[in-house]
Amino acid sequence: MADLLIELFSEEIPARMQARAGEDLKKRMTDGLVEAGLTYAGAHALTTPRRLTLAIEGLLDHSPTVREERKGPKVGAPEKAIEGFLRGAGLSRDQLEERDTPKGAVYFATIEKPGRPAAEIIAEVLEDTIRNFPWPKSMRWGAGSLRWVRPLHSILCVLTREDGSEVVPLDIDGITSGDTTCGHRFMAPARISVTGFEDYAAKLKRAFVVLDPKEREAAIWQDATNQAFASGLEVVDDKGLLAEVAGLVEWPVVLMGSIDAEFLDLPPEVLQTSMKEHQKFFSVKNPKSGRIEKFITVANRETADNGATILAGNQKVLSARLADAKFFWENDLRIAKSEVGMEGWLESLGNVTFHNKLGTQAARIDRIAALAREIAPVVGADADLAEQAAKVAKADLSSEMVYEFPELQGLMGRYYAQAAGLPQEVANACQQHYSPLGPSDEVPTEPVSVAVALADKIDTLTGFWAIDEKPTGSKDPYALRRAALGVIRLVLENGVRVALSGVFTQGYEGADESDLLSFFHDRLKVFLRDQGIRHDVIDACIAMEGNDDLTLLVKRARALEAFMSSEDGENLLQGFKRANNILSQAEEKDGVEYSYGADKKFIEDPSEAALFDALAANEGAISSAIEAEDFAAAMGGMAALRAPVDAFFEAVQVNSDNQVVRRNRLNLLSQIRKVCGQVADLSRIEG
């Protein structure tokens, strides 16, 4: 057994590519080694800005010898067929074996592939991995043909055994493998010789390189929070930024700087976004006021002045960036507070195309405003406020701040609407109408915001349906699946009762409402499956009338799921399916429909009478419960049928020789189907 250490050392790898690259290196190497017969005990990949590292433990020293038996042509076959078989097997005629088979004598070849040393296999697999590495973007440099994300400087490839270590020989476009690497670019640039992974990791740590990205993240976060806490402040949590910054440094040195007083009154979101997007700084806020007062930057080296020069340079650049943000903010506020207000921005949106087949942003805003007015009464919103909010909700798209930072759209709309003196409900809708953006995003609950959010998403969906730009396969360039999920969550989490088919007709003209509703049902299935509701239960409820009322549909599905999970539900389902199968077969055979109801005077067995009475007693109760949308009570009525249905099938043969009795019993089965069918289409439930 041996351990393998690989390091691919290059110029800086973009932070966003590092984690995927580490996994790709691990997968391609381990898959290639196993395919060649080298199994291993464990493997893990680590990354820094300048290196991809792979450590494999418990690797076989040699691949095993493999014996393969191949069946060839018949004895006496044409000579060319035999020669072709020999070429494929790499054997001569005297190495073939003749065997008798049921179809006559046949040639067989036994091919023995001897095992190969691990180093030979590793060199082949590593060269193939490097030359065909799946970088999202790559480059060539110098005169070579090799492509890598950035110029590749060295390859470390060492096999370690109990008796020592050896370099796996490899040469790729003049880059020769070895047992050395470099430490930190500035603090320890000299080459380091290593014998294995533990030696490698320890020497890199002494050379100011933290190899594990998770360790770098933890060190950055701990040091940042400690410095902020010492000043009575706290770091704004941002896991995405933390992972990115950890991918920019090999030896993280955390520094906290101050923001000039003239910028402290900027909205905290503006400060945070500007610092994150332009400088990769963490925001540090005052927990009492919520105001961002300082920033955290992470340097890649220690300095004699403890980072004072680095911090001063960063603060100078930050001040220039924030001066721009302050200019945008003050200019936008001036416009919002003017007599023209946000209406001036709306006029400019008439020159902005939303989609070449769906018109301008201004035309879309008019559609959303009209639709929001129609939806408002359904969600309990004031129609005038909903229309007003829809008209200004996207006005900030023309603002200078959103032009600079598109991710602030909506949020800046709220600030500007407040500055313009618009009602608070309108201002809130400006920010909230984009939500929810995903399955975990917060759902608006204010009626005006809900109305505008629904109108926005439904206009998008009906518009793209009208021009036949629906999602196909995994492709969804306009995020229509996300928009549909947003509508579903808005409706369900706010208990909105509305027939979506009717709302679709008020959206963009020309959309296929039936097809769009089917799309919603598909998204609803995914949404409910994540909550533990079976797909067949959902299908059984979708088959009922009113399936465009999502709140009603989900209420029915939850009750049915609970019932089908009970013993009564499971047994009644079996009874229903048995009744439905017998009835369907009889109707097909006889060419008639048994739906006239059973007559008690033709009953022969007490179990028939008991079932007749149970159906009569519970049909009205179930019907009333369904009408009142009390699905729990309806399921209770269904549960009461379980025992008489079971008893009926145990005691009675439906297809009696007496045709009158047979017809009566089939009509009784029809009654079972009718009563149970009030709740859901149980024929769609598996089991």
Side-chain angles (χ1 to χ4, degrees):
M1 293 289 184
D3 294 337
L4 173 64
L5 172 63
I6 296 171
E7 181 202 73
L8 306 177
F9 184 79
S10 69
E11 294 296 325
E12 274 71 8
I13 304 167
R16 67 182 183 280
M17 297 183 187
Q18 291 170 22
R20 175 65 183 271
E23 289 303 310
D24 285 339
L25 176 62
K26 176 182 172 181
K27 178 172 175 36
R28 286 176 173 255
M29 283 300 303
T30 54
D31 286 355
L33 293 175
V34 170
E35 187 176 340
L38 290 183
T39 58
Y40 62 97
H44 64 280
L46 298 167
T47 61
T48 79
R50 302 181 73 201
R51 64 199 85 220
L52 301 181
T53 300
L54 176 65
I56 300 178
E57 303 88 30
L59 190 68
L60 290 179
D61 289 321
H62 290 79
S63 63
T65 298
V66 177
R67 291 173 62 88
E68 178 188 354
E69 188 174 84
R70 292 186 189 176
K71 183 180 178 182
K74 289 183 178 181
V75 175
E79 196 64 27
K80 287 187 176 181
I82 297 173
E83 289 177 0
F85 176 65
L86 289 171
R87 282 196 302 272
L91 300 176
S92 60
R93 175 71 73 95
D94 60 349
Q95 291 176 293
L96 295 181
E97 178 185 353
E98 293 184 21
R99 294 185 195 170
D100 290 329
T101 70
K103 294 184 178 181
V106 174
Y107 286 119
F108 280 83
T110 301
I111 304 168
E112 184 173 296
K113 294 181 180 178
R116 295 193 295 157
E120 183 180 324
I121 295 172
I122 291 166
E124 289 180 3
V125 175
L126 182 55
E127 179 168 1
D128 179 72
T129 297
I130 292 173
R131 290 194 180 278
N132 298 288
F133 204 80
W135 291 109
K137 292 183 178 180
S138 59
M139 62 182 290
R140 286 189 295 110
W141 62 97
S145 61
L146 179 64
R147 299 188 68 89
W148 201 246
V149 64
R150 297 289 186 271
L152 183 64
H153 289 315
S154 66
I155 300 170
L156 183 152
C157 191
V158 175
L159 263 178
T160 306
R161 301 181 181 85
E162 290 184 1
D163 58 352
S165 62
E166 64 170 307
V167 173
V168 176
L170 181 68
D171 188 320
I172 302 178
D173 279 17
I175 305 173
T176 308
S177 60
D179 60 358
T180 64
T181 185
C182 288
H184 191 279
R185 181 186 288 274
F186 305 113
M187 301 171 69
R191 296 204 71 82
I192 305 165
S193 177
V194 301
T195 58
F197 178 75
E198 291 185 3
D199 182 46
Y200 168 78
K203 286 180 176 177
L204 279 183
K205 182 67 72 73
R206 290 196 293 272
F208 304 100
V209 175
V210 179
L211 190 59
D212 188 343
K214 294 299 180 185
E215 185 181 347
R216 296 198 298 276
E217 286 184 29
I220 291 169
W221 187 250
Q222 182 177 0
D223 205 0
T225 52
N226 286 345
Q227 289 191 36
F229 180 77
S231 299
L233 305 171
E234 61 184 35
V235 184
V236 176
D237 190 16
D238 192 329
K239 290 181 172 56
L241 179 59
L242 179 61
E244 184 177 7
V245 171
L248 297 174
V249 296
E250 289 193 321
W251 188 256
V253 177
V254 176
L255 305 170
M256 186 165 72
S258 298
I259 300 171
D260 290 348
E262 62 181 303
F263 305 123
L264 293 179
D265 290 331
L266 284 171
E269 298 88 353
V270 171
L271 285 170
Q272 185 178 350
T273 302
S274 180
M275 291 193 294
K276 173 182 177 178
E277 296 301 320
H278 289 148
Q279 308 301 130
K280 308 304 177 189
F281 291 170
F282 293 90
S283 297
V284 181
K285 70 178 181 180
N286 187 324
K288 296 178 181 177
S289 64
R291 191 171 73 163
I292 293 176
E293 299 179 354
K294 291 182 179 293
F295 67 90
I296 292 285
T297 184
V298 182
N300 190 32
R301 62 176 297 176
E302 296 174 359
T303 61
D305 62 359
N306 295 318
T309 302
I310 294 174
L311 202 56
N314 281 330
Q315 288 182 172
K316 184 177 181 180
V317 174
L318 177 62
S319 293
R321 290 290 189 184
L322 294 183
D324 291 342
K326 184 181 180 184
F327 172 79
F328 299 146
W329 167 246
E330 292 176 346
N331 200 39
D332 288 342
L333 278 184
R334 179 181 56 78
I335 294 172
K337 292 177 180 179
S338 69
E339 291 184 8
V340 176
M342 300 175 77
E343 296 295 328
W345 287 332
L346 291 174
E347 290 179 9
S348 65
L349 290 177
N351 299 318
V352 178
T353 299
F354 171 66
H355 187 281
N356 61 350
K357 294 182 180 179
L358 297 175
T360 65
Q361 281 283 8
R364 182 166 183 259
I365 288 169
D366 289 339
R367 296 196 303 269
I368 294 172
L371 186 53
R373 187 173 188 87
E374 296 295 327
I375 293 174
V378 177
V379 299
D382 181 277
D384 292 335
L385 284 178
E387 183 178 8
Q388 182 184 21
K391 282 187 175 296
V392 300
K394 298 187 183 296
D396 65 341
L397 294 176
S398 294
S399 68
E400 293 186 54
M401 185 67 79
V402 172
Y403 183 83
E404 179 71 13
F405 299 113
E407 58 270 37
L408 292 179
Q409 60 185 280
L411 173 69
M412 298 315 299
R414 174 170 65 82
Y415 280 115
Y416 299 147
Q418 289 171 332
L422 298 179
Q424 189 61 46
E425 299 96 321
V426 172
N428 291 343
C430 290
Q431 178 179 358
Q432 296 174 359
H433 81 282
Y434 289 105
S435 299
L437 292 174
S440 59
D441 194 23
E442 190 173 341
V443 175
T445 56
E446 294 182 23
V448 172
S449 297
V450 172
V452 180
L454 284 172
D456 181 27
K457 293 167 177 59
I458 289 171
D459 176 77
T460 298
L461 288 158
T462 55
F464 283 106
W465 243 252
I467 63 173
D468 197 26
E469 290 280 1
K470 297 175 283 189
T472 55
S474 61
K475 295 181 179 179
D476 186 10
Y478 303 111
L480 301 182
R481 292 187 179 98
R482 187 175 71 183
L485 178 60
V487 172
I488 289 168
R489 292 190 63 205
L490 283 162
V491 167
L492 296 183
E493 296 187 32
N494 286 288
V496 177
R497 300 301 304 275
V498 63
L500 283 180
S501 297
V503 178
F504 294 158
T505 62
Q506 298 172 330
Y508 196 94
E509 187 177 352
D512 184 337
E513 292 91 3
S514 176
D515 185 57
L516 183 53
L517 183 61
S518 295
F519 177 73
F520 266 82
H521 286 158
D522 289 340
R523 305 317 303 157
L524 182 65
K525 289 178 188 178
V526 175
F527 178 70
L528 293 180
R529 274 205 301 269
D530 291 341
Q531 298 182 13
I533 299 180
R534 291 160 31 190
H535 68 90
D536 53 339
V537 168
I538 304 169
D539 284 336
C541 296
I542 288 174
M544 305 301 290
E545 289 186 10
N547 61 9
D548 58 349
D549 183 342
L550 300 187
T551 299
L552 178 66
L553 174 58
V554 171
K555 190 176 180 182
R556 186 193 298 267
R558 293 191 195 284
L560 184 59
E561 172 71 26
F563 180 61
M564 286 298 144
S565 300
S566 68
E567 185 180 351
D568 283 340
E570 291 178 2
N571 288 328
L572 180 62
L573 177 64
Q574 298 307 316
F576 168 84
K577 284 185 174 292
R578 186 173 178 184
N580 190 50
N581 290 338
I582 294 172
L583 186 60
S584 298
Q585 291 169 7
E587 289 178 334
E588 183 178 355
K589 176 184 176 183
D590 301 343
V592 298
E593 182 179 325
Y594 292 101
S595 58
Y596 300 103
D599 192 328
K600 203 166 186 179
K601 68 182 179 182
F602 298 120
I603 285 175
E604 292 184 345
D605 191 272
S607 65
E608 290 181 83
L611 179 56
F612 186 95
D613 292 339
L615 289 168
N618 287 284
E619 180 178 9
I622 293 174
S623 179
S624 298
I626 295 292
E627 189 174 342
E629 298 180 7
D630 187 352
F631 294 107
M635 300 304 163
M638 294 264 287
L641 298 177
R642 176 245 173 130
V645 168
D646 287 350
F648 173 81
F649 281 117
E650 287 178 7
V652 169
Q653 180 180 340
V654 175
N655 290 310
S656 169
D657 294 335
N658 185 324
Q659 291 303 308
V660 173
V661 173
R662 176 178 177 271
R663 282 196 300 272
N664 198 58
R665 288 174 178 172
L666 288 171
N667 278 316
L668 194 57
L669 297 188
S670 176
Q671 197 68 11
I672 294 174
R673 183 166 66 182
K674 176 185 174 184
V675 171
C676 293
Q678 295 180 95
V679 174
D681 185 354
L682 299 186
S683 65
R684 296 176 181 267
I685 297 181
E686 300 172 359

